[in-house]
Amino acid sequence: MLTIRRATESDFPVILKIQKEAFGAYEGTYETAAWTKETLENVQLDAKDKVILVAEWDGAVAGSVRFWNAGGVCVIRLLSVNPAYQGRGIGKALMREIEKHAVDAHKLYVCTMLRASRNIAMFLNLGYRPESVMPDQYHPWI
């Protein structure tokens, strides 16, 4: 069973572990150090002015996402799902939960990697459309 809730400080270490595993899959395709080597202190700082949600699958934290409002734009970052739990709709559920919280935003902004076709398909299936394409955003190696 899937539940989504606001993260607590006790969730932060597992959030970092999930990010490392999820974004680590792109190592060699993109520069992933910012996501795979984030520190506990970074998450604690983010928690002060951003909302961090976690998704639990049968009581185990399986994914997380962060978001905040900047001038009426809901900025969504670091959506990550434990690879062992991917394909169960957890990422979509986290996005739908953000949409419930972002009613005051006139725009939702999410950024994903161009070579992450599964992620792109998920956002398109949720009704998101590209506004701009930045091919070198994550320093892809060619």
Side-chain angles (χ1 to χ4, degrees):
M1 176 174 206
L2 178 65
T3 57
I4 297 176
R5 61 173 173 78
R6 198 163 183 151
T8 64
E9 193 159 345
S10 64
D11 296 314
F12 296 169
V14 73
I15 288 171
L16 289 174
K17 183 178 184 297
I18 290 169
Q19 275 180 211
K20 184 176 183 175
E21 292 172 2
F23 290 112
Y26 299 104
E27 192 68 46
T29 303
Y30 288 101
E31 173 56 48
T32 61
W35 311 306
T36 60
K37 296 181 179 172
E38 185 179 25
T39 67
L40 192 56
E41 291 78 24
N42 293 128
V43 182
Q44 290 167 334
L45 283 171
D46 266 2
K48 290 181 181 182
D49 63 353
K50 297 171 178 68
V51 177
I52 303 175
L53 298 177
V54 294
E56 289 183 322
W57 190 275
D58 291 335
V61 175
S64 69
V65 67
R66 301 176 206 182
F67 68 97
W68 64 97
N69 192 312
V73 176
C74 179
V75 180
I76 303 162
R77 302 290 295 151
L78 295 165
L79 174 65
S80 56
V81 176
N82 181 325
Y85 290 89
Q86 291 177 4
R88 301 181 191 193
I90 294 170
K92 287 181 183 180
L94 284 164
M95 290 300 298
R96 290 296 186 216
E97 189 66 23
I98 291 170
E99 291 168 358
K100 291 178 192 174
H101 289 275
V103 293
D104 292 337
H106 67 271
K107 177 185 202 174
L108 279 77
Y109 172 82
V110 65
C111 192
T112 194
M113 298 170 273
L114 290 174
R115 295 183 187 157
S117 58
R118 243 179 18 173
N119 297 354
I120 292 169
M122 179 191 75
F123 289 118
L124 291 173
N125 288 335
L126 286 168
Y128 291 81
R129 295 296 174 256
E131 181 177 86
S132 61
V133 177
M134 299 178 285
D136 295 326
Q137 176 72 13
Y138 298 110
H139 312 289
W141 293 298
I142 299 173

